[in-house]
C-alpha cells in the first residue's frame, strides 16, 4: 500500500473545509442541481456514447460508437473533433479516424469496440476502448490508445489488452478541464472503472454494476498497466490509500439502489468543478439520471440529482438518455451551468431518438 498527499496538503485542505471555501474563495460544500427535460443543443452527427476531453487546441475531442460521428463513414467507433459551444449554438465537428485506426477487438467475433473514456493532457489524447458483446451484457477486455497529433493517428499495444477478465474494463477518465489544467497534481491522471459490464444487463443471470472504482497513473505512462495504482481505502478517507494490485482495489462508491428494477451505476463521466471545488459523477439507469457529488475523487460520494423520466414512450419534449457526461469545456465561468451529453438509441421503443452529440443544461447551486 502507498499513501498519497503530503502533510502540508492535508493541512491546507482541512483549513479550506473549515472555512467553507475553495482555494480561490469560491463556495465549498454540497450542491443542489436541476437538469433540463430534453436535449436542446445538437451537433449534426450520428452515433452514441461520446466520451470526450478538452484539449490544448481548445477543441473538444469525442469518440462515438456505432455511427458516422461527424463524418460520412459508418463504423463501430469514430474519433471526432468538435468546435463551438452549445450556449452559442455553433457546434460543428469533423471525423478524424475510424474503426481499426482506433483499436482492436480482443475477445472474438461476438464482440465489438466501444469508446468509454478520453483524456487530454500535455497535448496528447488518450482513448479507452472496451470489448462489448453484441448483446451488451459482457465487457471482458479494454485498452487505451494514444494520439500525439490531435486525433489523426493512434497507437496502442496490439499484443494484449491492458485490462481483462471483466475487471476495470469500463474506463473513463476524470475531466480536469482544458488539457487537465485544473488537476491538483500534474504528475497523475485519474480514471474510474466498472467491473463486469457498462450498465445494467437486463439479465438476472448477469451481475449488474453497483460499485465505482478509482485508479491513478503517472501521465508519463498511461498505457503501461504496470504503473497503474488503485484506490484501496474507504470512500472519503482524509488520506487516500493506493495499491498496485488490482485485486486489492476497493470501491469509492457503492450504490445498490434500483430504479424501475435497474441498477444505477453505469458508464458516464466524472468532472471537476474548480469554482465550486466539487466532483460530479453523471450516471444513469435506463429511465433515470443518477448524479453524485464529492469533495475529492475518492469521495465520499453522495446523491446530487435523481431525475426520473418514466418508462417509454418518451417524447421530443421530455426524455432521458444514456452514457451521460458533463464536458468541462461547456461549464460556465462560475461553474454553475453545465451541459450534459446523453443519447437515446433509435432501436428503443421510445417514439423518438437522440442518437447524436446532444446536450441539455444542468444548473448547479451551493446548498443554503
Amino acid at each position: 500500500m502507498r499513501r498519497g498527499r503530503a502533510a502540508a496538503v492535508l493541512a491546507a485542505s482541512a483549513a479550506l473545509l473549515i472555512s467553507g471555501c475553495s482555494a480561490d474563495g469560491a463556495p465549498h460544500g454540497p450542491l443542489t442541481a436541476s437538469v433540463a427535460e430534453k436535449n436542446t443543443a445538437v451537433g449534426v452527427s450520428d452515433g452514441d456514447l461520446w466520451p470526450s476531453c478538452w484539449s490544448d487546441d481548445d477543441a473538444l475531442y469525442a469518440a462515438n460508437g456505432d455511427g458516422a460521428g461527424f463524418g460520412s463513414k459508418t463504423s463501430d467507433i469514430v474519433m471526432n473533433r468538435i468546435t463551438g459551444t452549445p450556449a452559442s449554438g455553433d457546434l460543428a465537428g469533423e471525423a478524424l479516424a475510424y474503426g481499426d485506426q482506433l483499436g482492436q477487438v480482443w475477445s472474438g467475433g461476438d464482440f465489438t469496440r466501444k469508446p468509454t473514456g478520453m483524456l487530454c493532457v500535455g497535448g496528447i489524447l488518450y482513448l479507452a476502448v472496451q470489448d462489448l458483446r453484441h448483446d451488451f451484457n459482457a465487457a471482458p477486455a479494454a485498452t487505451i490508445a494514444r494520439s500525439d497529433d490531435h486525433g489523426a493517428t493512434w497507437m496502442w499495444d496490439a499484443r494484449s489488452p491492458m485490462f481483462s477478465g471483466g475487471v476495470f474494463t469500463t474506463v473513463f477518465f476524470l475531466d480536469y478541464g482544458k488539457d487537465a489544467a485544473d488537476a491538483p497534481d500534474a504528475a497523475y491522471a485519474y480514471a474510474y472503472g466498472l467491473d463486469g459490464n457498462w450498465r445494467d444487463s437486463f439479465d438476472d443471470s448477469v451481475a449488474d454494476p453497483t460499485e465505482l472504482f478509482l485508479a491513478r497513473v503517472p501521465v508519463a505512462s498511461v498505457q503501461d498497466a504496470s504503473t497503474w495504482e488503485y484506490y484501496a481505502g474507504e470512500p472519503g478517507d482524509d488520506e487516500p490509500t493506493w495499491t498496485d494490485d488490482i485485486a486489492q482495489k476497493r470501491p469509492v462508491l457503492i450504490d445498490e439502489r434500483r430504479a424501475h428494477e435497474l441498477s444505477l451505476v453505469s458508464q458516464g463521466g466524472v468532472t471537476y468543478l474548480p469554482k465550486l471545488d466539487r466532483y460530479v459523477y453523471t450516471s444513469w439507469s435506463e429511465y433515470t439520471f443518477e448524479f453524485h457529488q464529492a469533495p475529492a475523487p475518492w469521495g465520499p460520494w453522495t446523491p446530487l440529482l435523481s431525475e426520473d423520466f418514466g418508462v417509454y414512450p418518451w417524447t421530443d419534449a421530455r426524455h432521458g438518455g444514456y452514457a451521460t457526461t458533463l464536458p468541462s469545456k461547456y461549464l460556465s465561468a462560475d461553474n454553475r451551468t453545465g451541459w450534459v451529453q446523453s443519447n437515446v438509441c433509435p432501436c428503443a421503443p421510445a417514439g423518438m431518438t437522440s442518437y447524436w452529440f446532444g446536450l441539455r443544461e444542468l444548473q448547479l447551486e451551493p446548498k443554503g
Side-chain angles (χ1 to χ4, degrees), residues 5 12-31 272-279 293-296 336 366-367:
R5 285 190 175 181
S13 298
L16 292 174
L17 285 169
I18 294 170
S19 70
C21 293
S22 62
D24 63 359
H28 180 123
L31 307 173
Y272 178 56
L273 312 178
K275 296 299 183 182
L276 300 174
D277 202 20
R278 303 296 283 182
Y279 294 81
Q293 61 179 317
R336 298 191 182 195
K367 273 188 177 179

Side-chain angles (χ1 to χ4, degrees), residues 54-61 81 83 123 125 150 178-179:
W54 184 11
S55 190
D56 62 334
D57 63 356
D58 203 39
L60 189 79
Y61 289 83
R81 182 180 189 271
T83 58
L125 311 185
H150 288 94
K178 184 177 181 179
D179 206 39

Side-chain angles (χ1 to χ4, degrees), residues 64 75 77-80 94-99 101-102 151-154:
N64 68 276
S75 178
I77 186 170
V78 182
M79 177 57 59
N80 306 270
E94 60 176 323
L96 303 175
Y98 300 84
Q101 298 172 310
L102 293 165
T153 60
W154 293 80

Side-chain angles (χ1 to χ4, degrees), residues 262-285:
L262 301 173
S263 58
L264 307 185
V265 175
S266 303
Q267 174 186 328
V270 176
T271 302
Y272 178 56
L273 312 178
K275 296 299 183 182
L276 300 174
D277 202 20
R278 303 296 283 182
Y279 294 81
V280 173
Y281 167 40
T282 50
S283 188
W284 52 280
S285 73

Side-chain angles (χ1 to χ4, degrees), residues 6 26-27 41 46 59 79 88 110 117 119 134 187 240 250 252 258 272 296 364:
D46 173 52
M79 177 57 59
S88 59
D110 289 337
L119 169 68
H134 290 308
R250 300 180 67 182
V252 295
R258 301 183 79 83
Y272 178 56
L364 298 156

Side-chain angles (χ1 to χ4, degrees), residues 1-294:
M1 302 287 182
R2 296 175 185 160
R3 294 282 177 178
R5 285 190 175 181
V9 175
L10 283 171
S13 298
L16 292 174
L17 285 169
I18 294 170
S19 70
C21 293
S22 62
D24 63 359
H28 180 123
L31 307 173
T32 62
S34 62
V35 70
E37 294 190 335
K38 63 179 182 179
N39 288 352
T40 58
V42 174
V44 178
S45 55
D46 173 52
D48 64 356
L49 302 179
W50 301 101
S52 65
C53 63
W54 184 11
S55 190
D56 62 334
D57 63 356
D58 203 39
L60 189 79
Y61 289 83
N64 68 276
D66 292 334
F70 282 86
S72 58
K73 177 183 175 182
T74 298
S75 178
D76 58 350
I77 186 170
V78 182
M79 177 57 59
N80 306 270
R81 182 180 189 271
I82 303 172
T83 58
T85 68
S88 59
D90 60 348
L91 290 171
E94 60 176 323
L96 303 175
Y98 300 84
D100 292 341
Q101 298 172 310
L102 293 165
Q104 66 193 89
V105 176
W106 306 97
S107 306
D110 289 337
F111 293 82
T112 188
R113 291 164 291 211
K114 295 290 184 181
T116 61
M118 287 200 68
L119 169 68
C120 294
V121 60
I124 299 170
L125 311 185
Y126 295 93
L127 170 67
V129 182
Q130 75 176 184
D131 286 3
L132 187 64
R133 201 164 64 196
H134 290 308
D135 66 1
F136 308 121
N137 286 344
T143 202
I144 296 170
R146 167 178 170 155
S147 175
D148 295 335
D149 54 11
H150 288 94
T153 60
W154 293 80
M155 65 192 82
W156 64 93
D157 187 342
R159 296 170 298 179
S160 62
M162 289 179 59
F163 304 99
S164 60
V167 178
F168 211 82
T169 50
T170 299
V171 180
F172 43 97
F173 292 94
L174 202 165
D175 184 347
Y176 268 123
K178 184 177 181 179
D179 206 39
D182 294 322
D185 183 352
Y188 285 95
Y190 290 80
Y192 294 86
L194 308 180
D195 288 354
N197 205 18
W198 67 299
R199 53 93 168 117
D200 190 289
S201 66
F202 298 88
D203 182 344
D204 291 340
S205 67
V206 178
D208 298 321
T210 59
E211 298 176 326
L212 180 69
F213 299 96
L214 172 66
R216 70 176 186 177
V217 59
V219 296
S221 59
V222 171
Q223 292 179 294
D224 183 352
S226 70
T227 67
W228 284 58
E229 296 178 319
Y230 304 89
Y231 190 77
E234 294 292 334
D237 277 351
D238 289 339
E239 185 179 0
T241 303
W242 304 98
T243 176
D244 57 11
D245 182 358
I246 194 170
Q248 298 300 314
K249 73 184 192 315
R250 300 180 67 182
V252 295
L253 168 67
I254 301 173
D255 191 347
E256 296 179 332
R257 299 174 302 152
R258 301 183 79 83
H260 301 280
E261 301 183 359
L262 301 173
S263 58
L264 307 185
V265 175
S266 303
Q267 174 186 328
V270 176
T271 302
Y272 178 56
L273 312 178
K275 296 299 183 182
L276 300 174
D277 202 20
R278 303 296 283 182
Y279 294 81
V280 173
Y281 167 40
T282 50
S283 188
W284 52 280
S285 73
E286 182 74 3
Y287 305 114
T288 66
F289 285 176
E290 304 291 342
F291 298 175
H292 295 75
Q293 61 179 317

